[in-house]
Amino acid sequence: MMVDFNVWPHAMRVPLVLYCLAPDVTLDKARYPSFLAWMVKMREVPAVQKTDIDKDVFKRVLESAKANGGKPNYDLANED
């Protein structure tokens, strides 16, 4: 389980980045069944739920990085 927690912060961003940069692209369940099943299981973990990032908040932070020369405004995540 410890490896899962180490990988999670990176893996959870895959669908978020797709949502922000290529909203018409999704991960194919037939091609990535294990990865997507793992993501569903991870989202059931209370610690993961407490640190989950809303996709629209992530998008605003990503857009702030683009607007500020690569320096994201992480405080946007605390405004909601």
Side-chain angles (χ1 to χ4, degrees):
M1 189 68 154
M2 204 58 174
V3 171
D4 293 322
F5 288 127
N6 285 310
V7 173
W8 178 252
H10 308 286
M12 60 139 340
R13 285 174 174 79
V14 171
L16 293 174
V17 169
L18 288 176
Y19 171 76
C20 295
L21 303 178
D24 54 328
V25 176
T26 58
L27 293 173
D28 183 9
K29 291 179 184 179
R31 188 168 183 187
Y32 305 105
S34 298
F35 178 69
L36 294 173
W38 174 79
M39 290 194 74
V40 168
K41 283 184 134 181
M42 285 298 291
R43 289 193 188 280
E44 295 171 359
V45 177
V48 169
Q49 292 173 358
K50 288 179 183 178
T51 60
D52 199 16
I53 300 171
D54 179 74
K55 63 183 180 180
D56 292 318
V57 171
F58 183 83
K59 186 174 183 175
R60 288 198 323 254
V61 172
L62 195 62
E63 288 169 348
S64 76
K66 186 177 178 181
N68 296 316
K71 297 180 182 177
N73 179 0
Y74 294 113
D75 291 330
L76 292 170
N78 297 324
E79 290 181 357
D80 290 338

